[in-house]
Amino acid sequence: MINNKLPKIWYGGDYNPEQWDAEIWKEDERLFKLAGIDVATVNVFSWALNQPDEETYDFSLLDETIDRLYKSGVYACLATSTAAHPAWMARKYPDVLRVDYNGRKRKFGGRHNSCPNSPTYRKYSALMAEKLAERYKNHSGLVIWHISNEYGGYCYCDNCAAGFRQWLEKRYGNLEALNKAWNTRFWGHTFYDWEDIVPPNALSEEWDGNRTAFQGISLDYRRFMSDSLLECYKLEYEAVKKHTPDLPVTTNLMGFFPDLDYFEWAKYIDIVSWDNYPALDTPVSYTAMAHDLMRGLKGGDPFMLMEQTPSQQNWQAYNSLKRPGVMRLWSYQAVAHGADTVMFFQLRRSIGACEKYHGAVIEHVGHEHTRVFRECAELGRELEQLGDKLLDARTESKVAIVYDWENRWATELSSGPTIALNYVNEVHKYYDALFQMNIESDIISVEADMSRYDIVIAPVMYMIKPGFAQKVEQFVANGGTFVTTFFSGIVNENDLVTTGGYPGELRSLLGIWAEEIDALFPDQKNSIVMKRPWGKLQGQFECGLLCDLIHAEGAEVLAEYGTDFYAGMPVLTMNHFGKGRAYYVASSPEVKFLQGFLANLCAEKGIEPLLDAPAGVETARRVKNDKEYLFLLNHNADAAAVEIGAEARQELLSGEMLSGAVTVPGRGVFILERSRK
Ligand code: GLA
Ligand code: ZN
């Protein structure tokens, strides 16, 4: 449980009373009660208020807020306020200001704006965290710390450059090793002095934000920036832990956000939390996958849904309203995938600045008679009624998909073979195929223990880090099924090609050699021609993006390319390795192929769908002790008929006992409980 003071699914969100006059606060209390809100994230952007100048600290408003909320039954998720520095700090200590990608020194403005290697920022952010912890350590209203807010963005200032050089010295020891790792004899970039190394941005090695002349330096800069921001987080973490060792600590993450290696971050986070902002047209399986990634960061531990909008965003191009029922549906989707909280940005809609058109529980009209408020209050009642039933429940999937931030950076930084390769999309294709078949999967890191899975899929495993190939070999030798794809096994952790034939370190496991890689234009296709029918997989399927031209070296060829000069070369292979099998998919296939292929692999392993549900009805399962909770989430606007089997199960939201054919209303949710066999 996140905190046993609040033994239910937490319900609430960001609350900024400092933007309002005192007479509104009373009204807030009344409305929070009506909506069933029991937690408020406070103090997220109050640094300037808490510290009006370098010497003065003033927590009077925060004291009042936390007391007032606590008295009215609302706990505080207490933020440390360090995500935007005060104006006086920027004026007095310009080292807090970032230098941007184009080399421009920023002035005061915006947020998430501090240089992570600024001595001033590090000193005063840690001090702020410490002061808050000292002040509120005995306050019964606190349930969790929320460090800063949505860490992200890079800086390229001189302090960062100096920090980078130190970081590099630690990593490589000497310049000779660094020159080797970055392959600097290319274009005569050999470094003879650490001082010659400058951050890679538009002034030096990079262009377009993610293209680079030297993958080595660009990759290391991303690692360094992720570490630098993590360092800032850790300073605050340690400051609050010193005074409140038992209070959990989080910082709100952002799903597949590219800047930070969240698997690394999660090692220092007590409970993962994240902000979920899908658009009206975001595939529901993409959101599901992001939840699963967040759950995967700490090996399947429940996480917090820290932010979502009750209705609309302000920062998308077209900020659609969440249709009636959708806020509730998406809230339960988070819970189904492992969230133990449902929280919003924000509780009351602001009247000025860029978020005034962002949805909130309390809208500008100020009262409870709105569609959004009614829906929020209804959900509040339901969460109350669910009590602690689902808390700490876990998932038990037998299929895992590998995701790796450094692999993403490396694939995206590479010049060639195609600009169209999007690593996350390729991962999503595999996730989505399983999702559409109602087969659960976990998203795991390259460091994760694979032994609890039957199938591990690593799409586009371009970068092979030390030990990974051996780990996969072990997994397969012991009977596991491993799948990887085109453009895998190409480079080591420094983006240096593994010579001797692709897929490098994975070559003997897969029993193939990829001789060449063809890049296809967006409208150019090849085909996957099955050599013989395999389950539902028969005939031919479309593929594109990249085509590896492979030779079988012991692997069995299951399908061949249909066209072009490499027609007849293998495109799908299977290699027996120890007790298991290793598959290679040499191109990016159409969905129908992936569903048939993955269905076959699951069938071989006896992995069954959670249910046979119609299209648009998502299924997910959490388990706890001897109970299983099966979620049916109908993303369709219309009702859907689902056969749930003969055994009667209680539907937790209505209390009804259900069996056989049931009808889930449009955008409706069922949570079916049963005892496990
Ligand atoms: C982020 C931030 C919030 C707010 C919302 C708006 O998630 O953390 O402060 O700006 O976006 O969607
Ligand atoms: Zn900097």
Side-chain angles (χ1 to χ4, degrees), residues 249-312:
V249 179
T250 192
T251 182
N252 46 343
L253 309 179
M254 293 174 277
F256 284 88
F257 181 66
D259 294 11
L260 308 176
D261 181 351
Y262 283 160
F263 279 116
E264 191 54 33
W265 276 65
K267 294 173 185 166
Y268 308 93
I269 293 174
D270 295 340
I271 175 163
V272 165
S273 65
W274 87 287
D275 302 344
N276 179 33
Y277 289 102
L280 189 64
D281 59 354
T282 304
V284 289
S285 68
Y286 189 90
T287 306
M289 177 175 79
H291 286 308
D292 288 354
L293 174 68
M294 295 295 99
R295 189 184 69 234
L297 292 182
K298 287 189 84 69
D301 288 355
F303 59 89
M304 294 173 67
L305 176 62
M306 182 64 88
E307 292 181 23
Q308 63 169 346
T309 177
S311 53
Q312 67 194 149

Side-chain angles (χ1 to χ4, degrees), residues 223-525:
R223 292 176 173 133
F224 165 67
M225 272 294 131
S226 181
D227 282 1
S228 299
L229 286 151
L230 177 57
E231 221 32 69
C232 295
Y233 164 83
K234 280 195 211 161
L235 288 172
E236 292 196 39
Y237 180 95
E238 278 150 23
V240 297
K241 279 289 179 186
K242 202 157 99 192
H243 300 282
T244 56
D246 299 328
L247 259 193
V249 179
T250 192
T251 182
N252 46 343
L253 309 179
M254 293 174 277
F256 284 88
F257 181 66
D259 294 11
L260 308 176
D261 181 351
Y262 283 160
F263 279 116
E264 191 54 33
W265 276 65
K267 294 173 185 166
Y268 308 93
I269 293 174
D270 295 340
I271 175 163
V272 165
S273 65
W274 87 287
D275 302 344
N276 179 33
Y277 289 102
L280 189 64
D281 59 354
T282 304
V284 289
S285 68
Y286 189 90
T287 306
M289 177 175 79
H291 286 308
D292 288 354
L293 174 68
M294 295 295 99
R295 189 184 69 234
L297 292 182
K298 287 189 84 69
D301 288 355
F303 59 89
M304 294 173 67
L305 176 62
M306 182 64 88
E307 292 181 23
Q308 63 169 346
T309 177
S311 53
Q312 67 194 149
Q313 280 97 357
N314 66 287
W315 46 264
Q316 293 174 342
Y318 306 98
N319 297 285
S320 338
L321 296 175
K322 282 186 181 167
R323 276 36 203 165
V326 169
M327 179 280 293
R328 172 177 181 266
L329 175 65
W330 290 0
S331 300
Y332 283 118
Q333 184 187 31
V335 173
H337 286 269
D340 277 357
T341 72
V342 172
M343 293 163 70
F344 299 108
F345 183 88
Q346 59 181 331
L347 298 186
R348 184 183 274 276
R349 202 186 260 234
S350 38
I351 57 163
C354 66
E355 287 177 349
K356 63 181 178 300
Y357 300 127
H358 193 289
V361 175
I362 306 167
E363 306 217 74
H364 284 148
V365 70
H367 57 57
E368 65 271 39
H369 308 292
T370 64
R371 175 184 75 91
V372 169
F373 190 93
R374 278 192 296 272
E375 289 192 29
C376 290
E378 181 52 36
L379 180 58
R381 268 191 293 280
E382 288 182 355
L383 297 179
E384 187 69 53
Q385 172 195 325
L386 283 172
D388 66 355
K389 250 191 181 189
L390 293 158
L391 295 187
D392 295 325
R394 303 180 74 85
T395 55
E396 285 187 341
S397 60
K398 289 302 200 187
V399 184
I401 300 178
V402 178
Y403 178 80
D404 183 58
W405 263 273
E406 296 181 48
N407 186 56
R408 174 178 185 176
W409 294 334
T411 52
E412 289 174 4
L413 286 166
S414 268
S415 187
T418 173
I419 58 156
L421 176 60
N422 179 315
Y423 172 55
V424 179
N425 283 353
E426 293 307 308
V427 171
H428 179 240
K429 276 180 103 167
Y430 281 79
Y431 182 92
D432 181 63
L434 293 162
F435 180 92
Q436 302 304 342
M437 297 188 291
N438 303 305
I439 291 169
E440 307 165 275
S441 58
D442 283 347
I443 311 282
I444 62 169
S445 78
V446 292
E447 288 178 5
D449 173 18
M450 297 176 174
S451 61
R452 56 169 279 211
Y453 299 104
D454 290 334
I455 301 175
V456 171
I457 306 170
V460 194
M461 205 71 258
Y462 167 76
M463 172 188 281
I464 305 296
K465 294 188 193 166
F468 182 74
Q470 294 71 18
K471 185 159 85 167
V472 180
E473 284 181 359
Q474 262 289 293
F475 168 73
V476 180
N478 292 337
T481 294
F482 177 70
V483 178
T484 190
T485 73
F486 63 94
F487 210 45
S488 289
I490 311 283
V491 299
N492 70 7
E493 58 180 337
N494 297 318
D495 204 78
L496 291 178
V497 170
T498 304
T499 52
Y502 315 135
E505 291 188 59
L506 300 176
R507 189 167 163 189
S508 64
L509 168 69
L510 293 159
I512 56 157
W513 167 41
E515 184 180 345
E516 293 181 88
I517 306 169
D518 192 19
L520 276 57
F521 280 86
D523 55 357
Q524 199 188 347
K525 299 287 171 215

